[in-house]
Amino acid sequence: MEKRILGKTGLAVSVIGFGGIPLQRVDQEMARKMIQKASQLGINFIDSAKGYTVSETLIGHGRKGERENWVIATKSMARSYDAMKADVASSLGSFQTDYIDLYQLHNVRTQEQYDEVMGENGAYRALLEAQQEGKIGHIGFTTHDVHMLEKAIESGYFSTVQFPYNIVENQGAALFEKAKAANIGVIVMKPMAGGAIDQGSLALKYIVENPNVTTAIPGMDSLNQIEENAAVGKQKEPLTSEEREQIQKIALALGETFCRRCGYCGPCPQGIDISTQFLLEGYYLRYDLKDWAKERYVAVGKNASDCIECGMCEPKCPYDLPIRKMLQRVKENLS
C-alpha cells in the first residue's frame, strides 16, 4: 500500500484510508473482522466522528491490541470549549486509547461558526489543551464550504484539512495544491460522491492520481469493499485514456442533478441550508442510514419542507441545477 506523509503531522498514512461512517450498519464482530482485514491489506488510517453513533466504539473494539498499527482520526461538531473538552474525553473512552492521533473541528460551514470555534471560549482552545496534555496529537479542520477550506489553509492553525473531492466535485483541487505547499495534509471525504458513483475503483484511482491528496477515506461496511478499495492503493499505473473517457461520462451524467455543495445558491430567504438537504438525502438513499439521516434532517430546523419555491436559488447555481424540484424530492424522502 502506498503511503504519503500527512502534512505537518509527519505521519505516514495509507493513500486509501478507512471511512468509519458506515460501520454503524454492522455488528461488533464484523467491525473487528473489517478493521483487521484493512490492516492486513496495508490500510493504517481510520476516520470517525462523535456524530457517527457507535462508530468510535466499534473501532475501539476492532483495533484492540493493534494500537501502534493505526493512525486514528475523529472529529466533533462541538463549537464551545466545554463541549469539545467533553467530546475529546468521550472519544478517548470509545476508542479505548489514551491518545488520538488527529482530532478535527467538524463541518465548519460559515464565518460565524469559524469565529465561534476559534474564539476565547471556542472548541479550538479545548483541542489545544488536549494536545498539550498528550491526549491528541494534531488538530485538523473539516468543511464542505470552499471558502472555509481556503480560510483554514491560510490560517496556519491546522495540520490537516478534510474536504469532498471526487469525479464530479473538484472545486477544492486548486486549494489542495495550496495546502500541500503549506505542508498541510489533505484528507478526501466523499470519494464516491456520497454513494452516487458506483465504480469505486475508478473513483479512487482518479483521486489518488492527484499528488496533492494525502489520503482518501471511502466509507466501507463489508470485507469485499475493503479488498477492492485497498487494491487501488497498490496500483502504480496512471489512468488510461479509456478510464478518462469513462470519468467524463460519469461527471456529465451526475452533473444534471448532483449538488457540489459550493454554497453559491444561498442565502435562502427561508433560512434553509440547501446543500445540507442534499447531503442528508444522500445518506438516506445511498448509505442506508435512514433513521440517522432523518434525525439530522429534523435537527437542522429549517429544511426542505420550508421551501416556498421562490426560485431565488436557481439563477445563482453555477451548475444550473433544478433546485426547487430537488428540494421537493428531499421533502418526499425525508419528511
Side-chain angles (χ1 to χ4, degrees), residues 278 309 314 322-330 332:
F278 304 133
E309 299 192 33
E314 292 184 359
I323 296 174
R324 285 174 289 181
K325 288 183 179 179
M326 291 167 65
L327 285 173
Q328 179 62 32
R329 184 191 65 204
V330 173
E332 292 169 0

Side-chain angles (χ1 to χ4, degrees), residues 1-232:
M1 172 71 69
E2 181 187 352
K3 300 290 199 302
R4 297 181 183 178
I5 301 301
L6 188 62
K8 301 172 187 176
T9 73
L11 297 166
V13 299
S14 52
V15 71
I16 302 297
F18 194 137
I21 188 169
L23 281 177
Q24 300 171 83
R25 296 200 295 260
V26 306
D27 61 24
Q28 183 172 310
E29 180 59 19
M30 177 53 71
R32 183 188 67 80
K33 289 179 179 177
M34 290 171 60
I35 291 168
Q36 289 184 347
K37 171 64 76 174
S39 182
Q40 291 166 6
L41 295 174
I43 294 174
N44 75 339
F45 182 83
I46 193 162
D47 176 85
S48 188
K50 285 303 303 172
Y52 297 170
T53 62
V54 296
S55 174
E56 288 185 342
T57 300
L58 290 174
I59 292 169
H61 284 292
R63 63 97 206 138
K64 193 176 292 184
E66 294 187 350
R67 178 64 184 90
E68 68 282 359
N69 296 337
W70 285 99
V71 174
I72 297 176
T74 196
K75 46 198 182 288
S76 166
M77 291 277 288
R79 302 303 186 222
S80 70
Y81 169 85
D82 290 336
M84 182 60 84
K85 190 168 184 177
D87 276 357
V88 170
S90 175
S91 293
L92 288 166
S94 297
F95 284 125
Q96 300 181 52
T97 185
D98 57 2
Y99 74 98
I100 295 166
D101 298 281
L102 176 65
Y103 214 103
Q104 302 158 97
L105 294 170
H106 188 26
N107 197 18
V108 179
R109 297 177 296 168
T110 65
Q111 182 65 48
E112 291 74 21
Q113 289 179 358
Y114 184 88
D115 291 342
E116 183 180 5
V117 297
M118 300 304 293
E120 183 179 352
N121 293 311
Y124 183 76
R125 182 165 70 91
L127 291 180
L128 276 179
E129 286 187 7
Q131 187 180 44
Q132 292 162 2
E133 294 165 357
K135 295 176 181 178
I136 67 174
H138 306 276
I139 301 172
F141 185 95
T142 91
T143 185
H144 291 85
D145 184 276
V146 71
H147 304 295
M148 287 297 101
L149 174 65
E150 185 171 23
K151 190 169 189 69
I153 293 168
E154 291 179 346
S155 73
Y157 293 129
F158 305 102
S159 296
T160 66
V161 290
Q162 186 175 147
F163 194 75
Y165 177 65
N166 51 63
I167 287 171
V168 72
E169 292 180 278
N170 52 27
Q171 63 269 25
L175 289 174
F176 292 170
E177 185 175 358
K178 191 172 184 178
K180 186 174 183 180
N183 199 24
I184 295 171
V186 173
I187 303 165
V188 166
M189 60 171 150
K190 305 293 184 295
M192 314 297 184
I197 300 170
D198 56 14
Q199 298 186 48
S201 295
L202 180 62
L204 289 175
K205 191 174 179 181
Y206 167 82
I207 292 166
V208 302
E209 191 174 68
N210 186 334
N212 301 314
V213 169
T214 313
T215 183
I217 50 171
M220 298 183 277
D221 64 359
S222 73
L223 295 173
N224 184 55
Q225 286 178 356
I226 290 171
E227 291 174 354
E228 289 182 359
N229 293 340
V232 178

